[in-house]
């Protein structure tokens, strides 16, 4: 048992957790020894015992994946965290890596890449798909002109993506566990920072820049 890689899976969908466990059950060196259905529970489990790898979903109730990742890296800086998301790589990958993630996988690519990715981050390395590697290269290039959505905070970006997907302020507040007034403030900041005038323009921007699946 000592040579096994102990993995915790944090995802609010039980069927997803079961599917991931099934993929890993065919390997001798990987062992799922913990599950969490939201970010708060993931943090609680992290504080109870050591783990080799955290597999963390981006969209979870009570505390989303990016916020959970930041707190995990603050408390356990050496813990490898692999972000797994239904969102396309262009939406969250670079932000997740900048926040301290060791890698980023989309759920569509998980069956083929999951085992390799977990082994790689457990060994202390980063796991980057070719698409994410290209994005990182562009993000750190001095010659790259940043788009407006690349200059906003992570929370503002989450609100922008949800607005672009057609969510109301009330729906966004529920998903991010925030007050409606707070979400309204984020919306106002987005309009100001991005030089836009209405929610309709935010939605159009999101569609034009591929922020909507």
């Amino acid at each position: 048992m000592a040579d096994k890689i102990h993995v915790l899976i944090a995802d609010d969908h039980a069927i997803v957790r079961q599917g991931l466990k099934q993929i890993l059950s065919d390997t001798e060196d990987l062992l799922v020894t913990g599950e969490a259905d939201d970010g708060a529970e993931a943090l609680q489990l992290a504080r109870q015992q050591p783990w080799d790898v955290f597999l963390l979903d981006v969209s979870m109730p009570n505390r989303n994946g990016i916020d959970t990742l930041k707190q995990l890296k603050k408390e356990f800086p050496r813990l490898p965290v692999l972000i797994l998301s239904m969102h396309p790589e262009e939406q969250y990958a670079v932000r997740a890596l900048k926040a301290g993630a060791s890698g980023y996988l989309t759920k569509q690519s998980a069956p083929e890449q999951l085992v390799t990715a977990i082994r790689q981050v457990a060994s202390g390395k980063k796991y980057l798909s070719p698409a994410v590697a290209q994005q990182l290269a562009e993000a750190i290039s001095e010659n790259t002109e940043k788009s407006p959505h690349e200059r906003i905070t992570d929370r503002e970006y989450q609100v922008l993506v949800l607005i672009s997907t057609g969510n109301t302020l009330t729906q966004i507040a529920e998903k991010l566990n925030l007050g409606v007034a707070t979400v309204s403030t984020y919306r106002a900041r987005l309009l100001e920072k991005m030089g836009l005038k209405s929610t309709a323009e935010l939605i159009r921007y999101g569609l034009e820049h591929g922020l909507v699946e």
Side-chain angles (χ1 to χ4, degrees), residues 1-10 17 20-35 49-55 79 114-115 118-119 122:
M1 293 287 286
D3 60 345
K4 288 184 179 291
I5 298 171
H6 293 263
V7 181
L8 182 139
I9 300 175
R17 297 198 304 271
L20 295 172
K21 285 170 65 178
Q22 188 63 42
I23 294 171
L24 300 182
S25 68
D26 293 332
T27 64
E28 293 185 359
D29 59 329
L30 305 181
L31 188 66
V32 177
T33 48
E35 295 182 49
Q49 67 183 75
W51 302 89
D52 297 315
V53 175
F54 254 52
L55 195 56
L79 173 66
L114 184 61
V115 172
I118 291 177
R119 286 172 176 158

Side-chain angles (χ1 to χ4, degrees), residues 1-209:
M1 293 287 286
D3 60 345
K4 288 184 179 291
I5 298 171
H6 293 263
V7 181
L8 182 139
I9 300 175
D11 193 295
D12 58 323
H13 294 97
I15 192 168
V16 173
R17 297 198 304 271
Q18 188 58 40
L20 295 172
K21 285 170 65 178
Q22 188 63 42
I23 294 171
L24 300 182
S25 68
D26 293 332
T27 64
E28 293 185 359
D29 59 329
L30 305 181
L31 188 66
V32 177
T33 48
E35 295 182 49
D37 59 14
D38 61 35
E41 186 179 6
L43 284 168
Q44 185 179 6
L45 290 170
R47 294 162 183 151
Q48 291 178 1
Q49 67 183 75
W51 302 89
D52 297 315
V53 175
F54 254 52
L55 195 56
L56 200 62
D57 184 26
V58 166
S59 303
M60 292 186 294
N62 295 330
R63 190 162 193 153
N64 68 70
I66 299 297
D67 285 351
T68 303
L69 166 65
K70 289 179 178 179
Q71 188 61 35
L72 281 170
K73 298 308 290 186
K74 186 181 296 183
E75 296 185 34
F76 311 98
R78 298 174 67 86
L79 173 66
V81 180
L82 185 61
I83 294 293
L84 184 68
S85 176
M86 61 181 237
H87 300 287
E89 291 159 326
E90 62 267 18
Q91 284 193 18
Y92 281 106
V94 172
R95 287 179 178 273
L97 291 163
K98 286 182 176 179
S102 295
Y104 186 100
L105 280 179
T106 62
K107 289 182 178 177
Q108 291 86 346
S109 65
E112 294 78 24
Q113 301 177 26
L114 184 61
V115 172
T116 299
I118 291 177
R119 286 172 176 158
Q120 194 154 316
V121 301
S123 71
K125 300 176 183 177
K126 300 286 186 184
Y127 180 83
L128 301 178
S129 69
V132 173
Q134 178 64 29
Q135 283 185 67
L136 267 182
E138 292 175 357
I140 63 177
S141 170
E142 293 182 355
N143 298 323
T144 300
E145 186 76 22
K146 281 192 173 182
S147 300
H149 69 274
E150 294 175 313
R151 295 194 295 264
I152 59 180
T153 67
D154 289 333
R155 180 66 87 188
E156 289 166 350
Y157 183 79
Q158 290 169 337
V159 172
L160 174 60
V161 170
L162 290 170
I163 288 176
S164 302
T165 315
N167 290 275
T168 65
L169 295 185
T170 301
Q171 290 170 326
I172 295 171
E174 291 175 353
K175 291 183 178 183
L176 297 182
N177 200 27
L178 298 171
V180 176
T182 302
V183 176
S184 181
T185 299
Y186 280 121
R187 175 188 167 277
R189 286 184 195 165
L190 284 168
L191 292 173
E192 181 180 352
K193 286 185 177 182
M194 300 177 69
L196 302 175
K197 297 179 181 178
S198 66
T199 298
E201 289 190 5
L202 286 173
I203 293 173
R204 189 180 308 118
Y205 181 97
L207 291 170
E208 290 175 351
H209 289 80

